[in-house]
Amino acid sequence: KQLVCIVAVVMMASCNKSEPQESKAVAHIYKPIYTDNFKISDPKNVLLVDQMHKTLIAKDFKGAFEMLDDSVVFQLGTGQTLKGKPAVMDYMQKGFSGVNIKNYQVEVSFPVVGENGDEWVLVWDAADLETPDGKTVKGRWMEGFRIKNGKINAVNQYEKFPIQ
């Protein structure tokens, strides 16, 4: 009886296995002009972005700068574009020196690679920013970090700030 039960359980389990599904091309209404068919990429890219956030929160600007590619481009939620490591470094030092980041939370973070080979880390995050006058404002961000040769090469940022 036990053998029959074991065989029956194994057969039921094997019948429930699903094969990986191949992604099928989608007939887009609006065809993406950059890339399409993203797949999950290397999880170590998430750790790079997490580490950059950690260094900025700790005001370890030198540590954050080491993670940036020399030709990095930041497209900020304010509409401002920063080109090159010196411009980004200046912005970070001026912008983060006077605020304290508290209650930082990552809501979503995943690494992807497009069919064009570009690797990105997509992050939704939130934090409380304590300003020099002691006031606290809440913010939320959606960011895309392009990773190239183990460095952050581009950042696209959208923000909702302040949150009431």
Side-chain angles (χ1 to χ4, degrees), residues 57-94:
I57 292 167
K59 299 182 192 309
D60 174 11
F61 301 115
K62 185 178 182 219
F65 302 153
E66 290 173 2
M67 297 176 212
L68 301 176
D69 184 73
D70 289 340
S71 61
V72 66
V73 175
F74 271 43
Q75 294 177 327
L76 302 173
T78 61
Q80 184 179 9
T81 298
L82 307 172
K83 293 182 179 179
K85 196 172 185 176
V88 171
M89 289 168 52
D90 183 60
Y91 173 83
M92 284 181 172
Q93 283 181 314
K94 288 178 181 174

Side-chain angles (χ1 to χ4, degrees), residues 136-152:
T136 300
V137 292
K138 294 182 180 295
R140 291 186 103 117
W141 299 267
M142 293 177 73
E143 300 155 318
F145 294 82
R146 186 173 58 207
I147 311 301
K148 196 172 198 176
N149 299 320
K151 302 267 186 177
I152 295 169

Side-chain angles (χ1 to χ4, degrees), residues 83-143:
K83 293 182 179 179
K85 196 172 185 176
V88 171
M89 289 168 52
D90 183 60
Y91 173 83
M92 284 181 172
Q93 283 181 314
K94 288 178 181 174
F96 291 104
S97 291
V99 297
N100 291 312
I101 300 170
K102 297 184 172 187
N103 303 318
Y104 179 74
Q105 297 177 322
V106 173
E107 297 169 349
V108 172
S109 181
F110 54 97
V112 296
V113 60
E115 63 188 7
N116 64 359
D118 284 353
E119 293 187 83
W120 290 86
V121 174
L122 307 176
V123 180
W124 301 349
D125 48 359
D128 297 331
L129 303 179
E130 185 181 76
T131 58
D133 60 4
K135 294 182 181 176
T136 300
V137 292
K138 294 182 180 295
R140 291 186 103 117
W141 299 267
M142 293 177 73
E143 300 155 318

Side-chain angles (χ1 to χ4, degrees), residues 2-79:
Q2 284 182 327
L3 181 59
V4 171
C5 287
I6 291 171
V7 170
V9 168
V10 169
M11 287 177 60
M12 286 191 312
S14 66
C15 290
N16 290 331
K17 283 186 179 178
S18 61
E19 293 297 316
Q21 298 288 323
E22 282 293 319
S23 61
K24 296 178 183 174
V26 174
H28 292 278
I29 295 171
Y30 303 102
K31 176 72 177 145
I33 59 172
Y34 175 68
T35 191
D36 198 3
N37 296 324
F38 283 97
K39 295 178 181 170
I40 296 299
S41 69
D42 194 336
K44 75 178 178 194
N45 291 338
V46 170
L47 295 177
L48 176 67
V49 172
D50 284 353
Q51 188 63 34
M52 191 197 74
H53 281 107
K54 183 178 179 180
T55 59
L56 289 176
I57 292 167
K59 299 182 192 309
D60 174 11
F61 301 115
K62 185 178 182 219
F65 302 153
E66 290 173 2
M67 297 176 212
L68 301 176
D69 184 73
D70 289 340
S71 61
V72 66
V73 175
F74 271 43
Q75 294 177 327
L76 302 173
T78 61

